[in-house]
């Protein structure tokens, strides 16, 4: 048997794992039973500046740090399936599931090369499969390399993201109702900048959705 065939078969039987704790789970499960019990649905009323609505699947919890970090490092596993499924459910519940396009938050070229995949795009593809909405990961790009948001306070985050995104195909954006998809939202600076750029390119409306919302942004530097 060819090596390629063996690998294909191995991929078919390679078990799904819980993206939070790495426990083996059923092929169609999103999280293990224990983590399903720990995950907290996001019920807040956060709204990204300029957007028409916001949905997040879960509150960001330290237990999820590993899953989000693994996604950010490009170790994808079951996370896009699990988080994409949850985001699609929330969008349906909120009546925000009728859009023309899903736009994942783009990554800068060299970051994408280093990581091998854009986790937000993989999540968006799962949301798209669930809701029957096309994913457009080409019409807007991250054209400027920014500092890691994690190290910055809120005001610095806004300045850091300013001018970071460029719409390269305005004809694909103009007149469209768009849902922007991200993995983790903290202050919303990234989503606000992207929303503003999409509206500037003529989008009819922009909604924002993410896998996890940090509910308490601890601005360490200003607290000191
Ligand atoms: Zn788990």
């Amino acid at each position: 048997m060819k090596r390629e065939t063996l690998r294909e078969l191995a991929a078919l039987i390679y078990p799904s794992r819980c993206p939070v704790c790495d426990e083996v789970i059923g092929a169609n499960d999103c999280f293990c039973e224990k983590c399903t019990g720990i995950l907290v649905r996001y019920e807040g009323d956060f709204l990204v500046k300029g957007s028409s609505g916001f949905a997040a699947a879960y509150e960001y919890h330290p237990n999820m740090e590993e899953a989000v970090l693994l996604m950010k490092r490009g170790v994808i596993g079951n996370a896009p399936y699990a988080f994409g499924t949850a985001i699609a459910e929330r969008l349906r519940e909120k009546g925000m599931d009728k859009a023309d396009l899903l736009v994942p938050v783009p990554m800068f070229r060299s970051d994408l090369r280093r990581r091998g995949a854009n986790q937000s795009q993989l999540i968006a593809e799962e949301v798209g499969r669930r809701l029957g909405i096309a994913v457009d990961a080409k019409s807007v790009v991250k054209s400027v390399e920014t500092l890691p948001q994690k190290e910055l306070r809120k005001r610095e985050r806004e300045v850091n993201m300013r001018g970071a995104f460029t719409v390269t195909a305005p004809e694909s954006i103009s007149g469209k109702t768009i849902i922007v998809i991200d993995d983790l939202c903290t202050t919303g600076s990234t989503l606000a900048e992207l929303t503003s750029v999409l509206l500037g390119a003529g989008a009819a409306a922009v909604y924002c959705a993410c896998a996890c919302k940090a509910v308490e942004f601890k601005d360490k530097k200003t607290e000191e």
Side-chain angles (χ1 to χ4, degrees):
M1 199 181 278
K2 275 193 204 162
R3 181 147 186 270
E4 288 79 9
T5 313
L6 277 171
R7 287 180 67 90
E8 277 176 33
L9 284 171
L12 283 175
I13 58 165
Y14 191 78
S16 285
R17 287 178 180 275
C18 172
V20 178
C21 73
D22 210 34
E23 189 74 24
V24 172
I25 54 174
N28 295 309
D29 291 348
C30 292
F31 301 96
C32 76
E33 218 171 289
K34 187 175 133 256
C35 291
T36 302
I38 293 170
L39 289 168
V40 179
R41 274 177 61 105
Y42 177 75
E43 305 282 6
D45 55 3
F46 181 78
L47 190 65
V48 172
K49 197 177 160 200
S51 72
S52 301
F54 178 83
Y58 299 106
E59 280 184 13
Y60 183 68
H61 185 277
N63 285 343
M64 306 171 81
E65 198 170 349
E66 197 59 24
V68 174
L69 279 178
L70 287 175
M71 277 203 291
K72 285 197 182 294
R73 285 189 209 124
V75 183
I76 299 299
N78 200 43
Y81 174 80
F83 288 119
T85 300
I87 290 172
E89 277 172 22
R90 294 299 181 277
L91 288 169
R92 270 207 198 97
E93 288 166 15
K94 289 178 156 249
M96 281 168 46
D97 56 335
K98 307 281 185 289
D100 301 307
L101 283 181
L102 301 177
V103 171
V105 172
M107 285 171 75
F108 191 64
R109 281 189 313 277
S110 58
D111 293 336
L112 185 58
R113 262 200 305 275
R114 197 176 62 243
R115 286 183 198 162
N118 177 351
Q119 67 280 0
S120 297
Q121 184 178 344
L122 296 172
I123 295 172
E125 279 161 8
E126 186 61 40
V127 177
R129 271 192 288 276
R130 303 263 165 190
L131 299 181
I133 305 173
V135 176
D136 183 344
K138 290 206 171 103
S139 299
V140 53
V141 297
K142 190 170 181 199
S143 43
V144 175
E145 197 167 16
T146 52
L147 298 168
Q149 292 282 81
K150 211 179 167 193
E151 308 301 325
L152 307 175
R153 8 178 189 188
K154 186 171 190 296
R155 180 71 189 133
E156 292 169 341
R157 287 174 179 231
E158 288 167 14
V159 173
N160 187 36
M161 292 316 293
R162 200 173 294 155
F165 302 112
T166 305
V167 174
T168 54
E171 66 280 4
S172 307
I173 300 299
S174 182
K176 302 282 168 58
T177 295
I178 294 170
I179 305 173
V180 172
I181 306 285
D182 204 359
D183 53 355
L184 171 64
C185 172
T186 306
T187 63
S189 307
T190 301
L191 291 171
E193 178 65 21
L194 188 50
T195 297
S196 153
V197 165
L198 290 168
L199 290 171
V206 177
Y207 295 84
C208 296
C210 63
C212 307
K213 173 75 182 84
V215 283
E216 255 182 276
F217 176 61
K218 294 265 191 282
D219 200 339
K220 286 180 196 139
K221 289 185 183 168
T222 50
E223 275 176 359
E224 278 165 7

